[in-house]
Amino acid sequence: MSGTEPEREPQPARLEADRLASPARRLVARRVVTFDLVGSTNDEAFGELMRGGDDASGTALFAEAQTAGRGRRGRTWVSRPGLGVLVSIALRVEPPPPPAALVAAAAVAVREAILEEARVDPRIKWPNDLLVAGRKVCGILVEARGSGPRADVALGIGVNCNGDPDQDLEPGHRGAATSLAAAAGRPIDRARFARALLDRLDERLASTLRGDVREIEAEFLDGLGLAGRRVRLGLPDGEVTGVLRRFDVARGVDLETPEERRWIAAETIAHALPA
Ligand code: BTN
């Protein structure tokens, strides 16, 4: 390079569809689509199902960047190009499993992939974040459309893989979020991480759709780190405190208070925190 040319930062390698797809998988990411820039990969997943029908179910759609990445509760998801893994799995499900089953399966799969590839053990933060040392590294957004016996689902996952959390994250997220690279102390190979994630999602989603959820429930509870502990659950009419006894994708959380023991539906719980 001559002295007059501006120095360019090395660009992260793009994720390539043919290096991520595998016919050996049962359901997820036998087919993979990658984009440089989209609005939201969840919208791409719904579009894929509209166009491709049942044959599109299981397709994984990755983007290097999104202009309208969505989070839960109307929040946005912002990630600098090439630093994260932003993926949505398109699923046509009949009958649809309980929403908590898909969220739990995805959270367990992400936790496994992070353990495998970054060698750090994240906590699951109810209902669908993963934290390392108390800072968010992943958010999951499961959206469903359709009613009756069949639903189209976009299961979106955003993971902060590389980057310096103090420079590459949005100012509002600094301190609350981190990257796997910062937690692991070394850069993360995004393609390797993405393949591990797709393998784990394939396993966990295939068993969820078979109705085989006992192991996922146990591992989700383990990931929360709250079993047998006093917790505060955020409910529509305020917080309730008690000991968290069990988690079940159909019934939710089994909470023991001094007065009673009751199941609280997962969809009604906004947060579950140590009391
Ligand atoms: C959250 O933290 O509230 C959930 C964030 C989910 C972000 C991912 S990135 C890929 C997919 N596409 C989206 O628009 N959102 C999800």
Side-chain angles (χ1 to χ4, degrees):
M1 180 186 288
S2 87
T4 54
E5 279 181 47
E7 267 194 35
R8 292 205 193 94
E9 287 196 9
Q11 294 299 304
R14 297 175 63 251
L15 293 173
E16 291 169 37
D18 55 0
R19 298 191 57 210
L20 300 177
S22 168
R25 298 194 189 105
R26 283 152 275 212
L27 166 71
V28 171
R30 292 166 58 84
R31 177 165 179 268
V32 171
V33 181
T34 54
F35 302 95
D36 283 336
L37 184 68
V38 290
S40 157
T41 54
N42 270 22
D43 290 337
E44 296 298 329
F46 285 124
E48 186 73 13
L49 290 166
M50 293 266 286
R51 288 185 299 274
D54 291 355
D55 288 348
S57 191
T59 302
L61 302 105
F62 287 82
E64 296 296 332
Q66 302 179 113
T67 55
R70 287 195 290 279
R72 287 174 64 244
R73 300 171 171 265
R75 288 189 284 258
T76 55
W77 178 270
V78 181
S79 176
R80 273 189 51 189
L83 293 184
V85 163
L86 314 176
V87 60
S88 295
I89 310 300
L91 292 171
R92 182 158 282 186
V93 287
E94 187 173 350
L102 293 173
V103 174
V108 166
V110 175
R111 183 176 181 221
E112 291 175 312
I114 290 176
L115 252 170
E116 268 171 49
E117 293 301 322
R119 309 255 162 228
V120 291
D121 188 6
R123 278 269 149 257
I124 298 172
K125 183 177 172 213
W126 182 281
N128 58 352
D129 288 342
L130 282 102
L131 312 185
V132 177
R135 292 167 128 202
K136 180 164 170 171
V137 288
C138 168
I140 299 167
L141 176 68
V142 180
E143 297 178 300
R145 293 183 186 166
S147 53
R150 188 177 89 183
D152 283 355
V153 172
L155 192 159
I157 298 170
V159 183
N160 299 329
C161 283
N162 289 313
D164 175 344
D166 295 326
Q167 290 188 7
D168 296 319
L169 296 174
E170 290 298 285
H173 295 168
R174 288 181 196 156
T178 190
S179 67
L180 295 182
R186 62 181 164 81
I188 298 299
D189 179 333
R190 284 190 313 144
R192 265 188 70 134
F193 176 77
R195 275 193 297 273
L197 177 61
L198 295 172
D199 288 343
R200 300 285 75 82
L201 284 169
D202 183 45
E203 201 177 300
R204 296 307 187 171
L205 289 172
S207 68
T208 298
L209 298 184
R210 281 197 311 268
D212 183 1
V213 290
R214 292 293 162 260
E215 205 176 290
I216 289 166
E217 289 169 340
E219 291 188 17
F220 184 77
L221 198 52
D222 180 59
L224 287 174
L226 295 175
R229 292 182 62 188
R230 272 174 61 76
V231 294
R232 293 185 285 124
L233 302 185
L235 302 184
D237 51 358
E239 279 195 332
V240 57
T241 303
V243 178
L244 194 159
R245 291 296 175 197
R246 283 178 294 173
F247 165 73
D248 167 327
V249 295
R251 291 177 293 183
V253 164
D254 175 11
L255 190 77
E256 184 177 348
T257 66
E259 297 78 40
E260 61 177 353
R261 183 120 176 216
R262 63 168 163 146
W263 285 98
I264 301 176
E267 307 77 73
T268 63
I269 304 173
H271 60 254
L273 299 166

